[in-house]
Amino acid sequence: MSKKILSLFVSLIILSTSALAGSEYEKVTQKLKELHSANPNVSELFVLGKNDQDQDIMGITIRLGGNERTTTNDALVVGTHHGNEKGSTDVALAFAENVLKRKTYRLKGKTLYVIPVLNISGYNVSERHEKNSKGEWLDANRDYPDPCRPRKESFELKSTAALKDFIEDHKKISTAITIHGYIGTLTFPWGTYTENTSSYDHAKFLKLAEEAAEMNDYQVGTHADVIYPAVGAFEDWTYWHYGIWALLVEVDYQYDRLKDAEAIEKFITYAPTRRSTRHSHKGPCKLVRGDNSRP
């Protein structure tokens, strides 16, 4: 085979792979459109913003009840910070589908915002990281301010910056769930490098997580204790900065999408309808090897 023919053959493979990859997120947006079309009275589609490739990050709003609410009673569910954790997308869609199908009474009065895929570029090629405008691959769930590294660079991705703007514009959000994979855990702050992993709300977080875990039998606790510490995660930032009751769902390798969706629903149901007022970080923080920054 000549070099010219070989080069053409390789190019065709790349183009074919790219077309297939590009269709992956289109399947998600098509599912969102179908959910809205079947439930036009209680749902609407929205665009969170554009990512670094100028693609629209789509979500669905589900309204279950009246508009006369005085508490911060709404919930945000975000899937796929990491593009290779496609089970998180599946569970986010299952949650939206399940809620719309049953219109469960215990969620009445809440508005739910579901974003199945935050990291589109990674999702399309099953890559954990997300590509920024410079062509660099970054970890989206390390792109947030951190109580133990407040001066670290953050919001380098347009997707995470758009999520920040969304939260700041929707001040009635009191609960936030992010979905990952594949460990089988329900974890909450703190997840950063700290000597005291318990927040002021630790007892409440633990009770909520234990109640949610009745649906899928996952292990519960702080992220730092149950999984590993990490700097710049969404959950720590959302709780630390806003007092939002944040939960990280790590679906199991052999997950049950409906059980995981029901666990999310249960956490949202019983989470406080007002943001925490004692969400500061108690410290002390730990230094990471090779990191000379100070909290």
Side-chain angles (χ1 to χ4, degrees):
M1 183 181 292
S2 69
K3 289 184 178 180
K4 185 175 182 180
I5 295 175
L6 178 61
S7 177
L8 178 61
F9 180 68
V10 171
S11 297
L12 287 172
I13 291 176
I14 292 173
L15 287 171
S16 176
T17 303
S18 298
L20 179 63
S23 69
E24 289 298 299
Y25 184 60
E26 291 173 8
K27 295 174 186 176
V28 176
T29 58
Q30 181 59 37
K31 180 63 177 177
L32 289 176
K33 292 173 183 176
E34 291 172 1
L35 289 174
H36 169 57
S37 179
N39 303 273
N41 295 329
V42 294
S43 72
E44 62 185 61
L45 300 177
F46 69 90
V47 175
L48 176 73
K50 291 185 179 293
N51 68 359
D52 285 280
Q53 289 73 47
D54 205 35
Q55 296 168 295
D56 288 337
I57 305 168
M58 286 188 63
I60 187 168
T61 302
I62 304 171
R63 291 189 170 87
L64 300 174
N67 293 322
E68 296 180 3
R69 294 164 291 140
T70 58
T71 56
T72 50
N73 201 27
D74 300 339
L76 172 68
V77 177
V78 183
T80 325
H81 268 83
H82 295 142
N84 61 337
E85 297 168 358
K86 295 192 174 182
S88 66
T89 312
D90 187 27
V91 171
L93 288 170
F95 169 75
E97 185 175 6
N98 204 33
V99 169
L100 286 168
K101 181 179 179 181
R102 297 188 295 110
K103 298 179 178 63
T104 178
Y105 175 78
R106 63 186 181 185
L107 290 180
K108 189 173 182 180
K110 294 182 182 292
T111 296
L112 311 173
Y113 304 100
V114 183
I115 303 164
V117 177
L118 183 70
N119 173 4
I120 300 173
S121 58
Y123 181 81
N124 277 335
V125 295
S126 296
E127 161 62 46
R128 173 184 173 92
H129 298 85
E130 180 174 356
K131 186 182 288 188
N132 67 8
S133 58
K134 300 176 183 178
E136 302 165 329
W137 290 89
L138 307 178
D139 191 325
N141 203 38
R142 303 293 184 272
D143 197 29
Y144 300 96
D146 189 275
C148 282
R149 301 292 184 275
R151 293 191 296 274
K152 73 178 287 292
E153 291 184 0
S154 53
F155 305 119
E156 295 185 77
L157 293 162
K158 288 185 179 179
S159 61
T160 57
L163 193 56
K164 172 183 72 73
D165 292 342
F166 186 85
I167 291 172
E168 292 185 348
D169 288 342
H170 294 76
K171 300 186 185 304
K172 288 190 174 183
I173 293 174
S174 58
T175 309
I177 314 286
T178 55
I179 313 172
H180 292 257
Y182 299 93
I183 300 176
T185 56
L186 302 178
T187 59
F188 45 85
W190 298 110
T192 189
Y193 286 85
T194 180
E195 293 181 18
N196 183 2
T197 58
S198 297
S199 67
Y200 290 108
D201 292 310
H202 182 82
K204 183 64 177 179
F205 266 125
L206 184 60
K207 182 178 179 181
L208 288 168
E210 287 174 342
E211 289 176 342
E214 291 177 359
M215 309 308 299
N216 54 15
D217 199 31
Y218 283 180
Q219 186 179 357
V220 304
T222 70
H223 190 90
D225 291 332
V226 173
I227 306 179
Y228 51 73
V231 171
F234 174 88
E235 292 71 32
D236 278 3
W237 165 70
T238 311
Y239 173 68
W240 168 57
H241 200 76
Y242 300 103
I244 292 174
W245 300 89
L247 181 75
L248 189 153
V249 178
E250 283 268 0
V251 301
D252 197 2
Y253 183 73
Q254 295 181 312
Y255 65 92
D256 184 315
R257 67 195 302 267
L258 290 181
K259 287 184 178 180
D260 290 340
E262 289 170 355
I264 293 170
E265 180 180 317
K266 195 168 185 181
F267 186 90
I268 293 172
T269 299
Y270 294 110
T273 57
R274 295 183 184 276
R275 296 180 179 183
S276 170
T277 57
R278 302 189 70 208
H279 50 91
S280 60
H281 181 253
K282 294 188 288 186
C285 295
K286 290 181 179 179
L287 281 177
V288 181
R289 181 177 297 177
D291 183 355
N292 294 321
S293 63
R294 287 292 189 273

